[in-house]
Amino acid sequence: MSVDHKILGLLFPSDPSLWKNDINLEEILTDHAYCEMKAAVSCISLIQMNPDKSYLVDCVMPVITEEWGHFRLVVQELKKRNLSLGKQRKDRYVNELINFKQKGGHAADRFLDQLLFMALIEARSCDRFKLLSERMKDPYLKKFYRRFMESEAGHYTLFIELGNHYCGKEKTKKRWLEWLKYEAEIVQKLSPDHNVIH
Ligand SMILES: [Fe+2]
Ligand SMILES: [Fe+2]
C-alpha cells in the first residue's frame, strides 16, 4: 500500500527537507516513542470517555495494543543503539491542534472533534513515516518506517469511520475539511523547524 498526503486528504505536504542532511536518529526515535505512547493513552481515554459506545470500544481496544506494541518496538531500536528513551519534548504541533478543538457546545460535537483530532495526527504521522522510509538508507530502517506508515494509515481510516458511524457522513466531512484547513496552516507555520514525527 502506498499513501501520500493527497490520498490522506492533507492539504499541505510534510516538508521533504525534513531529515535531509544528518538524520538524528536518536531524536527521531525518542519523539516517535512518545508519539506512540500518546496515541495509546488517547485511545484509552477515548474509551474511558465513551464507555456506552460499544462499537467504538470494540474498534479502539485493539488499537491500544497496537500503539503500545509500536512504543515497545521503538524503545527496542533505542536499546539496540545503547540509547535511553530520553526526555519528552514539547510538541508544538499537537498543542496547536488542541487549540482547534471545541471547548464548549454540544457533547456530540466535542466527541467528533476528538475523533478528527486523532485522525489528523494519524494521517500526518503516516505522511511523515513515508518520508522517513524514503529517506533512510538502511534497508532495515526503510522497512521499519514503512510498517508504521501502513499501520497509522489504518488508524486514520478507523477514526474517520467512527466519525461517520456516530455523527453521520455529512457532518463528519464538513468538520474534517475545517480541520484539514487549520492543520495545513499549522504545518506551514511550523515548517521547517518542526522536525519531529508528529
Ligand atoms: Fe502507532
Ligand atoms: Fe496510530
Side-chain angles (χ1 to χ4, degrees):
M1 180 184 64
S2 183
V3 287
D4 69 13
H5 76 280
K6 284 188 201 129
I7 292 169
L8 292 162
L10 299 172
L11 300 178
F12 197 77
S14 298
D15 190 343
S17 70
L18 299 178
W19 316 295
K20 193 166 68 182
N21 302 317
D22 278 345
I23 288 178
N24 183 342
L25 199 58
E26 181 175 5
E27 231 172 65
I28 287 173
L29 288 171
T30 292
D31 283 336
H32 182 181
Y34 282 109
C35 289
E36 300 295 355
M37 183 194 275
K38 282 184 275 184
V41 171
S42 296
C43 287
I44 292 172
S45 101
L46 190 64
I47 290 179
Q48 280 177 322
M49 302 289 284
N50 299 280
D52 50 329
K53 295 184 173 67
S54 53
Y55 177 63
L56 176 144
V57 174
D58 283 349
C59 292
V60 175
M61 272 192 302
V63 181
I64 298 168
T65 313
E66 214 179 317
E67 300 291 26
W68 195 250
H70 288 171
F71 172 75
R72 294 184 64 178
L73 281 173
V74 182
V75 171
Q76 206 177 5
E77 287 305 311
L78 281 160
K79 271 194 173 171
K80 263 164 65 178
R81 292 165 177 79
N82 283 324
L83 299 167
S84 62
L85 176 57
K87 274 195 181 161
Q88 188 173 358
R89 293 199 297 176
K90 259 197 196 147
D91 194 332
R92 285 179 58 204
Y93 172 74
V94 170
N95 288 341
E96 295 266 7
L97 278 190
I98 289 171
N99 290 335
F100 195 64
K101 281 203 239 177
Q102 284 200 36
K103 309 288 181 295
H106 293 293
D109 294 337
R110 292 200 305 276
F111 168 67
L112 178 60
D113 263 6
Q114 181 59 27
L115 291 176
L116 298 182
F117 164 79
M118 291 170 80
L120 205 39
I121 291 176
E122 296 289 352
R124 182 58 68 186
S125 300
C126 179
D127 196 44
R128 290 200 161 144
F129 287 139
K130 178 178 179 270
L131 271 184
L132 266 177
S133 164
E134 287 167 358
R135 269 166 182 47
M136 289 293 171
K137 291 191 179 78
D138 177 353
Y140 170 79
L141 286 173
K142 256 185 187 311
K143 232 174 145 185
F144 180 76
Y145 283 108
R146 201 176 164 79
R147 190 170 151 196
F148 285 105
M149 178 198 87
E150 288 173 2
S151 174
E152 310 312 354
H155 299 160
Y156 148 74
T157 312
L158 170 69
F159 292 124
I160 296 284
E161 209 263 304
L162 286 172
N164 290 338
H165 178 86
Y166 285 105
C167 309
K169 272 190 179 173
E170 215 171 298
K171 188 177 169 182
T172 302
K173 195 176 177 191
K174 188 170 172 275
R175 185 61 178 155
W176 178 236
L177 293 176
E178 291 169 5
W179 271 99
L180 286 175
K181 223 175 130 213
Y182 177 77
E183 197 259 0
E185 283 164 22
I186 293 173
V187 173
Q188 286 176 73
K189 193 169 86 178
L190 295 180
S191 281
D193 312 330
H194 183 74
N195 62 347
V196 294
I197 297 292
H198 279 168

